Amino acid sequence: PSSAYYDFVIVGGGTSGLVVANRLSELNNITVAVIEAGESTLNNFNVSNVMGYSTAFGTQIDWAYQTVNQTYAGGLKQTVRAGKALGGTSTINGMSYTRAEDVQIDNWEAVGNKGWNWKNLFEYYKKSEGFQVPTEDQIADGANYNASYHGMNGPLKVGWPTSMTNSSFFPVLRQTFEKLGVQYNSDANGGKMVGFTVHPDTIDREMNVREDAARAYYWPYEARSNLKIISNTRANKIIWANATQGEAVAVGVEATNAYGTQSIYANKEIILSAGALRSPALLELSGVGNPVILGEYGIPVKVNITTVGENLQDQTNNGLSWEGIDTLTGLATFSILPSVNQLYGNNVTALESYVKSNLITYAKTVSTASNGAVKESDLLEAFNLQYDLIFKSQVPYAEVVFSPGDQSFAVEYWPLLPFSRGSIHIQSANPSVLPAINPNYFMFDQDVEAQVTVAQYIRKALGTAPLNSLVRNEVFPGLDVLPANASSSTWDSWIKANYRTNYHPVGTNSMLPREKGGVVSPELKVYGTKNLRIVDASILPFQLCGHLTSTLYAVAERASDLIKESHLI
Ligand code: FAD
C-alpha cells in the first residue's frame, strides 16, 4: 500500500469534478488530485462522434446502473446510464445545452440557500461557456441567439452541429406550433424556456466532435504539474481524523485499483463529485447518513444526516414514431417546451385543483416511503414550490424532441416535473457492491397522467398542418395498439411497458438548510464536517426544466470560487 498527499482531492473526474479540478489548479501553489473510476475517452469514437448518441451505451464506459424493481411502474428494473470515464456522463449524454427557468434557480435561495439565485448563477453559466456564433447556414436551418445570454471566452464550447437538419423543417415546426398556441423562442438560455426552440449543443464545431467535460476542462490543461489524474481507480470511502468531538475532519480517501488499495491524503479538502447516484453511497460508506441504514451494515456513524440518499428526483421518457415522407439528415436540436396551460387548455383548472388537493398526500406518501427519514413538512414545502412553478410561474411542463430521419419521424418526450420521489442507498459495506437505486417512477397517478397528456398532444401536433404533410402513418405504438379513444388503463399499461428513465437524477444530497433535511450547506459543505464538500447533480435540491449539464457546469464554477474564497486563495 502506498500513499500520496495533495491540497485537494476530488472524487469523480466527471462533468462537475473536472471543473473544480481545473479552477483550483489554476493556482500553481495548490496541488489537486482527481480519483476517477474510468479512463480517458479522448480517442473513443463512440464519444467524439456527434452523430453517435447511444453507441457508448452498454460499453465499458457506461456504469449501466440497475434500479430495483419499480413497484409503481409495472414491476421491472430500469437501466440508468452514467459515464464511467474522464468526463463522466458528459461523454455519453445527448449533448443538449439548455439551462433552467430563472424562477427555478431563485427557489434555491428562497428555501434558504443564500446567494444561489438566477442572477448570480447566470454569470457562471457565461463564465463556463465558449459560445460559437452560428454560421449563416446554421441560421437558415433555425439556429438563433441573444448575445447577452452567452459567454464567449469560457472553456466549454457550445454551438450547433455542422450538419443540422436541413431546409424547410424549421419553418414547418414553427408554423405548426404557433397554430397550437406555442410561440417561437429564439433563445431559451436566458431563463425563459417556454416555446419552440432550436437549442445549441455541447459541440466543438470546428473539430466536429462532442465537447465533453474532459475536452473542455482537462485536456487543454493537462500539462499543469500541480494537477494529477488518478484514473481507473475506485474511491471506497473517506478517511477521517481521529477526533471524537466537533466537526468531522476528512483527511483522505481510501481508493482501490488494479495494483491494490491506497490512501490519498488531502491537506485542505475533499470534494465528492461522483454524481447523484454515487456520492450519497460514498457518504454512507464513510459513516455519514441515516443511522438505521448504516447500522444494517455495521458502519459506525460519523455524522447523522437521515436524508443522505433521499429526495431522488428523475423524469420518465417515452416516444412515438411516424413513417416519414422525406429523408431528413443532420443532428436535430428542435424542442417544444410547452407550459401546462398550453398543454391542457381549458382542462387546466380541473388539473390545478386536483394537484393542489393531493400535495399533502404526496408529502405523506414520500415521507412514509423513506421511513420518516424525510419530513412530511419539508416535502410539502417542496411540493408547494413545484405546484407554483407549474401553475403560477408557468414554467415548461414537458419537453418534446423531434428527430426526423430516413423516411421516419421519431418524437420523444418527458414531463419535466414529476412528483414521484425515490432514494439511493448502499446495500453492503463493501464498496465494490453498487448501491440500490429506487426512483419510484410513477409513484403518483399524476405522473402517468402527464405522460398521457403529452403523448396525445404530440399526436395532435403531427395531425396539424403543415407538420402533417411530412408524415404518413403512426408506426409506434400505432393506432391499433393505442387507439385515439384508448381507455386510461390502456394508456397506463402502454406507458409503463415502454418508458425509460430520462437520465436526469438529482437531489440525493440536497443543498438545503439542515433543519429542512439538507445534506450540504450553501457553501456545499456536508453538514457536521469541516472540510468535505459535494459538487455534482446530487446537490440540486429540485429537478430542473433544462437538461442538467449547463447548470452543473455553472454550479461547479461557482463552487470553485466559494472554495477558493474560504481558503483565502
Ligand atoms: P458525472 O458526470 O456522472 O461524474 C461522476 C464521475 O464520478 C464519473 O466519471 C464516474 O465514473 C465517477 N465515479 C463514480 N463513482 C466513483 C468512485 N467510487 N470512485 C471514483 N470515481 C467514481 N444532460 C444534458 O445537459 N444534455 C443532454 O443531452 C443529456 N443527455 C443525457 C443522456 C444520457 C444517456 C445520460 C445518462 C445523461 C444525460 N444528461 C444530459 C444528464 C447529464 O449528462 C448528467 O446529469 C451530468 O453529466 C452529471 O454530472 P455529474 O458531475 O453529476 O456526474
Side-chain angles (χ1 to χ4, degrees):
S2 60
S3 60
Y5 291 81
Y6 302 88
D7 292 316
F8 293 91
V9 174
I10 297 168
V11 175
T15 313
S16 314
L18 288 182
V19 177
V20 180
N22 176 307
R23 293 303 182 188
L24 293 177
S25 63
E26 281 174 342
L27 306 161
N28 54 21
N29 57 339
I30 292 292
T31 56
V32 180
V34 177
I35 305 172
E36 168 52 48
E39 59 188 16
S40 163
T41 58
L42 195 58
N43 300 313
N44 185 333
F45 186 63
N46 291 336
V47 172
S48 58
N49 177 11
V50 298
M51 300 300 289
Y53 181 61
S54 83
T55 52
F57 293 178
T59 69
Q60 63 172 10
I61 66 164
D62 174 12
W63 285 100
Y65 294 114
Q66 299 295 304
T67 67
V68 302
N69 291 336
Q70 289 302 283
T71 314
Y72 306 98
L76 300 179
K77 296 180 197 310
Q78 280 280 319
T79 299
V80 188
R81 314 259 168 223
K84 182 184 184 182
L86 198 59
T89 304
S90 74
T91 65
I92 66 165
N93 75 6
M95 305 189 302
S96 299
Y97 185 90
T98 66
R99 293 172 178 170
E101 194 76 13
D102 49 9
V103 283
Q104 271 179 320
I105 306 295
D106 288 340
N107 272 350
W108 298 0
E109 184 155 65
V111 292
N113 297 303
K114 194 162 181 297
W116 290 98
N117 54 46
W118 172 259
K119 188 166 165 280
N120 285 348
L121 203 62
F122 195 44
E123 297 310 311
Y124 286 101
Y125 283 110
K126 293 194 271 189
K127 181 176 183 183
S128 66
E129 184 183 21
F131 185 67
Q132 301 158 105
V133 172
T135 62
E136 270 177 35
D137 284 352
Q138 290 178 322
I139 289 170
D141 290 341
N144 204 341
Y145 69 106
N146 176 333
S148 69
Y149 298 169
H150 296 280
M152 299 294 165
N153 303 316
L156 181 76
K157 295 196 173 80
V158 173
W160 286 266
T162 324
S163 159
M164 289 177 65
T165 302
N166 48 12
S167 68
S168 56
F169 191 55
F170 167 65
V172 165
L173 276 186
R174 180 174 173 165
Q175 285 164 30
T176 304
F177 281 93
E178 278 177 358
K179 265 196 193 165
L180 295 173
V182 177
Q183 301 305 312
Y184 171 57
N185 185 345
S186 59
D187 190 338
N189 280 319
K192 302 287 178 211
M193 302 182 69
V194 168
F196 161 49
T197 194
V198 186
H199 63 74
D201 283 333
T202 42
I203 274 184
D204 179 335
R205 188 178 65 208
E206 304 312 317
M207 301 269 290
N208 196 29
V209 295
R210 166 195 298 271
E211 179 80 340
D212 58 61
R215 266 185 205 272
Y217 279 92
Y218 176 64
W219 292 113
Y221 310 89
E222 68 165 322
R224 288 180 186 168
S225 61
N226 59 335
L227 173 57
K228 169 86 175 162
I229 304 286
I230 304 168
S231 55
N232 289 308
T233 301
R234 185 193 67 227
N236 298 332
K237 59 178 173 185
I238 304 291
I239 304 165
W240 301 104
N242 275 328
T244 49
Q245 282 187 333
E247 291 181 317
V249 177
V251 294
V253 176
E254 180 199 286
T256 299
N257 61 22
Y259 306 101
T261 295
Q262 55 177 321
S263 301
I264 301 162
Y265 291 102
N267 297 322
K268 295 189 192 300
E269 282 200 22
I270 292 166
I271 294 134
L272 294 183
S273 300
L277 303 173
R278 284 306 272 287
S279 286
L282 280 160
L283 286 184
E284 290 180 341
L285 290 166
S286 311
V288 180
N290 185 343
V292 177
I293 292 168
L294 303 187
E296 274 177 53
Y297 306 105
I299 298 173
V301 179
K302 193 75 190 170
V303 185
N304 174 347
I305 307 178
T306 60
T307 48
V308 167
E310 299 294 334
N311 289 314
L312 173 57
Q313 300 159 56
D314 196 4
Q315 300 154 334
T316 57
N317 178 307
N318 255 306
L320 300 96
S321 69
W322 278 258
E323 192 185 339
I325 287 171
D326 294 328
T327 294
L328 294 173
T329 58
L331 188 60
T333 67
F334 304 94
S335 289
I336 309 288
L337 293 151
S339 67
V340 75
N341 282 8
Q342 290 169 342
L343 276 166
Y344 282 79
N346 293 335
N347 298 327
V348 79
T349 324
L351 178 78
E352 186 171 351
S353 49
Y354 173 81
V355 172
K356 183 94 195 164
S357 68
N358 272 285
L359 296 179
I360 291 176
T361 311
Y362 297 163
K364 274 199 168 74
T365 310
V366 173
S367 177
T368 306
S370 76
N371 295 317
V374 193
K375 281 195 298 193
E376 202 181 305
S377 53
D378 294 331
L379 286 159
L380 189 58
E381 181 180 1
F383 286 141
N384 270 310
L385 284 172
Q386 183 168 325
Y387 169 89
D388 286 349
L389 286 177
I390 295 170
F391 295 101
K392 295 191 178 145
S393 306
Q394 294 281 317
V395 306
Y397 191 67
E399 179 163 349
V400 180
V401 171
F402 296 83
S403 307
D406 183 2
Q407 299 190 351
S408 71
F409 197 103
V411 189
E412 262 184 36
Y413 69 94
W414 55 98
L416 291 161
L417 299 173
F419 286 90
S420 304
R421 297 287 184 273
S423 66
I424 164 184
H425 292 294
I426 51 168
Q427 39 192 348
S428 165
N430 177 346
S432 71
V433 177
L434 294 175
I437 301 171
N438 182 11
N440 278 325
Y441 296 120
F442 303 124
M443 187 176 208
F444 301 117
D445 290 347
Q446 172 52 27
D447 294 345
V448 184
E449 151 60 30
Q451 278 270 344
V452 177
T453 301
V454 183
Q456 288 171 335
Y457 181 82
I458 292 167
R459 279 183 162 175
K460 182 171 161 196
L462 270 286
T464 301
L467 186 52
N468 62 359
S469 65
L470 291 182
V471 295
R472 292 199 177 90
N473 294 327
E474 182 182 306
V475 178
F476 183 81
L479 289 166
D480 47 339
V481 173
L482 208 52
N485 60 356
S487 67
S488 59
S489 74
T490 308
W491 271 106
D492 189 280
S493 24
W494 178 75
I495 281 163
K496 292 177 179 174
N498 291 286
Y499 84 102
R500 66 165 172 80
T501 146
N502 198 48
Y503 311 123
H504 286 179
V506 302
T508 48
N509 291 317
S510 285
M511 172 175 68
L512 285 169
R514 192 164 186 181
E515 66 278 9
K516 288 186 182 178
V519 175
V520 300
S521 70
E523 290 72 41
L524 303 181
K525 224 174 244 184
V526 177
Y527 288 116
T529 76
K530 186 164 179 288
N531 59 343
L532 177 63
R533 283 190 226 235
I534 307 182
V535 184
D536 62 26
S538 70
I539 67 103
L540 305 193
F542 311 121
Q543 187 55 269
L544 297 176
C545 292
H547 294 247
L548 297 176
T549 56
S550 53
T551 300
L552 294 174
Y553 285 120
V555 165
E557 287 279 11
R558 183 160 192 271
S560 304
D561 275 358
L562 293 173
I563 295 169
K564 287 176 174 174
E565 273 166 35
S566 77
H567 291 272
L568 303 173
I569 52 178

